[in-house]
């Protein structure tokens, strides 16, 4: 009898427990269904709302609206040249289209931005373009995210992209600065066709190798490279970020990359080979090719040995002064410190005699986007003082196109030091101006620009302070005898001239 009562009591307890669990589970099921419904209806509602805004914007018979997302359109770098050349080409090809640029530049007007493009790049648009000034560009600035910078900037770009999308809903959206995480917003919420021009992948296998090898570079802090645990965690972080980056980028209907180097990384990350093509950046080489060029004898065979002999004999002193010109924005990855340190070693090699220190100048030409870049210039000036070369180094900031052209035409060496530069517009401009190019042995310069043409050398490559100094010394010794410009640009100019035609036909 007692056992029966115990069993009955256990059954009652079990039923009570089941009723309790059921009372807890059912609200969770209802809540899950409600959240699922909201998550389905909210994007659909946003999409319908945004499309209604696009329809209300378009007057009857109006042509398609093309919008470029370029928060730093007034910066004056190679990416901005791509933007203005793209707009000019599309305006000429499609007269019925309207164009908008989303920019985060403040304190300037649209007229001032266009005038800056004319002065810096010698580019004038045939028709007006509208500007939408975004108020929260700080969300994509690296200085806003001391840690997890890539993730912070990417999430920030989504908020900035939302501001752009709600300000104006285009028919075609073009990300021309590499903010891939804005692509899903415009495609799935805005209902737009989307295209992207990738200058530099946000994350790459090269970055992963830097972290794995615990190599300190501009994107790998010293305290991380010294710690194996932190390096391992950063590799995991990069791998997860690369997965998200690939998913976002694969939303693009058309993918354009600026070089062979960038193509390899984007194919590995975005996995859309049928939508991806190389479109070399537009380089205004015609403005440089009209510069006079002396006809000299070619000395490709045995240039290293000849250069060494001439250096030992004091060769290369045919000119009173040789300028070594660097063109590039004052960003950390451009590695201006390497240029200054290599120049100091060159001065040490040349000494104080004829053709030595007094005959050499390093000219650093570049744009400053913000206060951070201006502080970097001050730091570089301090480095020149520290190394005792400030009297031989000139800084020229935000120069006009005419001044840039004048400096390059008068230069002896065009210097470039960025590791894994995606393409290198400045390198091409130096070649067109008749300077002898010395670029980093990596990325676009190695794969696309400073490559043999018809079996002959078109420039020089280096990868460290000593090799840069030695190469500059060799070039200075060879200058009276070499003429590389005549044969170095034919293949590149052909590809560049076709690039914008391809861009227009894709769009």
């Amino acid at each position: 009898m007692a056992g029966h009562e115990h069993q009955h009591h256990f059954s009652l307890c079990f039923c009570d427990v089941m009723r309790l669990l059921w009372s807890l589970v059912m609200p969770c099921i209802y809540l899950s269904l409600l959240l699922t419904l909201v998550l389905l209806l909210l994007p659909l509602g946003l999409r319908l709302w945004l499309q209604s805004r696009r329809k209300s914007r378009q007057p009857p018979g109006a042509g398609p609206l093309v919008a470029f997302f370029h928060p730093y359109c007034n910066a004056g770098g190679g990416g901005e040249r791509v933007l203005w050349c793209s707009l000019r080409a599309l305006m000429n090809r499609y007269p019925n289209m309207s164009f908008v640029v989303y920019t985060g530049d403040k304190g300037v007007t649209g007229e001032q931005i266009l005038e800056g493009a004319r002065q810096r790049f010698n580019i004038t648009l045939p028709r007006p373009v509208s500007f939408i000034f975004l108020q929260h560009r700080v969300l994509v600035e690296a200085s806003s995210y001391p840690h997890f910078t890539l993730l912070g900037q990417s999430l920030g770009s989504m908020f900035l992209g939302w501001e752009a999308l709600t300000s104006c809903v285009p028919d075609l959206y073009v990300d021309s600065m590499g903010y891939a995480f804005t692509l899903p917003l415009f495609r799935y919420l805005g209902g737009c066709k989307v295209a992207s021009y990738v200058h530099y992948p946000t994350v790459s296998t090269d970055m992963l190798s830097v972290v794995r090898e615990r190599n300190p570079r501009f994107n790998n802090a010293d305290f991380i490279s010294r710690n194996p645990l932190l390096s391992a965690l950063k590799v995991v972080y990069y791998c997860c970020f690369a997965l998200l980056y690939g998913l976002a980028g694969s939303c693009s209907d058309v993918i354009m990359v600026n070089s062979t180097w960038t193509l390899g990384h984007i194919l590995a990350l975005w996995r859309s080979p049928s939508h991806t093509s190389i479109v070399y950046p537009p380089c205004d080489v015609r403005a440089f090719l009209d510069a006079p060029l002396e006809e000299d004898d070619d000395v490709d065979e045995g240039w290293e040995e000849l250069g060494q002999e001439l250096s030992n004999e004091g060769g290369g002193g045919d000119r009173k002064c040789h300028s070594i010109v660097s063109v590039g924005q004052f960003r950390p990855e451009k590695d201006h410190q390497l240029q200054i340190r290599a120049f100091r070693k060159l001065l040490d090699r040349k000494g104080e005699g004829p053709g030595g220190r007094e005959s050499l100048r390093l000219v650093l030409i570049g744009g400053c986007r913000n206060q951070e870049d201006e502080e970097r210039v001050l730091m570089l000036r301090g480095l020149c003082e520290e190394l005792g070369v400030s009297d031989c180094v000139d800084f020229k900031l935000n120069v006009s196109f005419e001044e840039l052209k004048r400096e390059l035409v008068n230069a002896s060496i065009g210097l470039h030091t960025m590791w894994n530069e995606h393409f290198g517009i400045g390198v091409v401009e130096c070649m067109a101006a008749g300077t002898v190019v010395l670029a980093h042995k990596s990325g676009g310069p190695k794969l696309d620009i400073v490559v043999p043409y018809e079996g002959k050398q078109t420039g020089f490559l280096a990868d460290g302070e000593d090799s840069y100094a030695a190469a500059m010394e060799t070039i200075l010794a060879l200058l009276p005898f070499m003429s590389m410009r005549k044969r170095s640009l034919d293949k590149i100019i052909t590809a560049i001239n076709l690039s914008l035609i391809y861009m227009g036909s894709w769009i």
Side-chain angles (χ1 to χ4, degrees):
M1 187 70 178
H4 179 73
E5 290 180 358
H6 178 74
Q7 183 178 2
H8 179 68
H9 180 70
F10 176 79
S11 300
L12 291 176
C13 291
F14 179 77
C15 292
D16 291 339
V17 170
M18 292 302 296
R19 278 194 290 268
L20 176 62
L21 291 175
W22 184 254
S23 65
L24 295 174
V25 168
M26 284 306 297
C28 292
I29 293 176
Y30 292 143
L31 182 60
S32 299
L33 292 174
L34 179 62
L35 290 175
T36 302
L37 189 62
V38 170
L39 291 175
L40 289 174
L41 292 179
L42 182 60
L44 180 60
L46 289 174
R47 182 184 173 98
L48 293 174
W49 173 65
L50 290 169
Q51 289 183 339
S52 67
R53 294 197 61 174
R54 178 169 60 188
K55 291 178 181 178
S56 64
R57 163 188 60 78
Q58 292 179 317
L65 176 65
V66 180
F68 284 80
F69 188 76
H70 209 103
Y72 294 90
C73 73
N74 200 37
E80 287 66 60
R81 180 191 292 276
V82 171
L83 169 67
W84 302 122
C85 285
S86 302
L87 283 167
R88 182 175 61 184
L90 291 172
M91 286 180 177
N92 288 329
R93 188 177 179 90
Y94 301 103
N96 64 324
M97 280 187 175
S98 302
F99 298 90
V100 164
V101 176
Y102 301 117
T103 178
D105 294 298
K106 297 180 181 179
V108 293
T109 64
E111 291 76 13
Q112 290 172 326
I113 293 175
L114 293 174
E115 177 61 20
R118 187 192 66 80
Q119 291 181 356
R120 292 169 183 165
F121 307 122
N122 196 30
I123 296 173
T124 302
L125 299 182
R127 290 192 281 125
V129 59
S130 300
F131 291 91
I132 293 180
F133 294 90
L134 307 177
Q135 301 301 312
H136 301 95
R137 191 177 70 179
V138 67
L139 294 174
V140 298
E141 304 223 348
S143 58
S144 301
Y145 310 98
H147 307 291
F148 299 99
T149 307
L150 293 180
L151 181 61
Q153 287 182 290
S154 298
L155 294 176
S157 71
M158 296 180 71
F159 286 99
L160 192 64
W162 176 252
E163 180 185 352
L165 182 58
T166 53
S167 300
C168 176
V169 185
D171 298 289
L172 171 62
Y173 169 77
V174 183
D175 166 37
S176 53
M177 267 201 80
Y179 294 107
F181 285 81
T182 63
L183 297 172
L185 285 177
F186 280 83
R187 177 168 183 173
Y188 296 116
L189 292 183
C192 312
K193 293 292 185 180
V194 296
S196 55
Y197 188 92
V198 184
H199 301 272
Y200 196 87
T202 304
V203 64
S204 67
T205 54
D206 292 323
M207 293 181 184
L208 289 172
S209 66
V210 167
V211 180
R212 286 195 186 101
E213 295 167 5
R214 298 169 60 189
N215 185 3
R217 284 187 183 269
F218 66 88
N219 62 343
N220 195 32
D222 289 343
F223 75 92
I224 293 179
S225 62
R226 290 194 298 263
N227 190 308
L229 177 60
L230 292 179
S231 294
L233 291 175
K234 188 169 184 178
V235 169
V236 174
Y237 161 58
Y238 269 18
C239 289
C240 295
F241 182 83
L243 176 62
L244 295 175
Y245 177 64
L247 291 174
S250 63
C251 296
S252 188
D253 295 298
V254 173
I255 303 167
M256 295 163 279
V257 299
N258 66 343
S259 69
T260 302
W261 181 85
T262 308
L263 175 67
H265 289 286
I266 291 302
L267 289 179
L269 294 168
W270 292 15
R271 300 183 183 278
S272 299
S274 60
H275 297 159
T276 307
S277 300
I278 297 178
V279 178
Y280 290 114
C283 305
D284 192 8
V285 295
R286 293 182 183 86
F288 296 97
L289 289 173
D290 58 0
L293 180 68
E294 296 180 0
E295 295 294 326
D296 301 311
D297 297 328
D298 293 339
V299 292
D300 289 282
E301 298 298 330
W303 62 266
E304 290 180 330
E305 293 78 5
L306 178 58
Q308 186 62 41
E309 292 175 8
L310 292 171
S311 297
N312 294 336
E313 296 172 6
D318 61 317
R319 291 174 57 178
K320 291 183 179 180
C321 182
H322 291 287
S323 64
I324 302 168
V325 175
S326 163
V327 180
Q329 288 183 322
F330 288 98
R331 306 201 307 261
E333 60 268 27
K334 296 298 183 182
D335 208 351
H336 289 89
Q337 292 190 43
L338 173 57
Q339 297 176 7
I340 296 171
R341 295 183 186 279
F343 181 67
R344 165 61 190 273
K345 292 196 173 186
L346 173 65
L347 295 181
D348 292 341
R349 285 170 174 262
K350 300 293 286 185
E352 299 290 343
R357 183 185 183 97
E358 297 301 322
S359 68
L360 298 175
R361 298 204 66 81
L362 175 63
V363 182
L364 304 180
I365 301 175
C368 285
R369 303 164 298 173
N370 47 39
Q371 181 66 30
E372 186 178 352
D373 287 352
E374 293 174 2
E375 292 173 357
R376 189 169 295 110
V377 172
L378 292 177
M379 182 271 293
L380 292 172
R381 291 183 187 273
L383 178 62
C384 293
E385 292 282 352
E386 178 186 334
L387 297 179
V389 298
S390 57
D391 60 321
C392 303
V393 180
D394 296 329
F395 289 83
K396 296 184 178 291
L397 312 180
N398 301 320
V399 302
S400 67
F401 180 79
E402 288 303 318
E403 185 175 357
L404 170 66
K405 178 181 175 181
R406 183 169 58 251
E407 289 289 347
L408 288 183
V409 168
N410 294 327
S412 299
I413 300 176
L415 186 62
H416 180 275
T417 52
M418 179 176 170
W419 172 73
N420 274 341
E421 170 72 86
H422 33 95
F423 179 71
I425 292 177
V427 179
V428 176
E429 290 176 339
C430 288
M431 296 173 78
T435 65
V436 181
V437 166
L438 172 57
H440 199 282
K441 195 176 182 179
S442 64
K446 178 183 178 181
L447 297 176
D448 291 316
I449 304 175
V450 189
V451 295
Y453 179 68
E454 295 183 348
K456 296 183 178 181
Q457 186 176 349
T458 59
F460 294 76
L461 298 171
D463 58 4
E465 293 178 22
D466 292 325
S467 62
Y468 267 102
M472 284 189 284
E473 185 179 23
T474 298
I475 293 170
L476 292 172
L478 289 172
L479 276 176
F481 306 94
M482 65 169 44
S483 178
M484 290 185 173
R485 186 180 104 183
K486 293 178 294 182
R487 61 176 178 270
S488 63
L489 280 181
D490 290 352
K491 179 169 72 75
I492 294 174
I493 292 174
T494 301
I496 291 168
N497 287 340
L498 291 174
S499 294
L500 289 178
I501 298 175
Y502 293 155
M503 182 181 291
S505 64
W506 288 334
I507 293 177

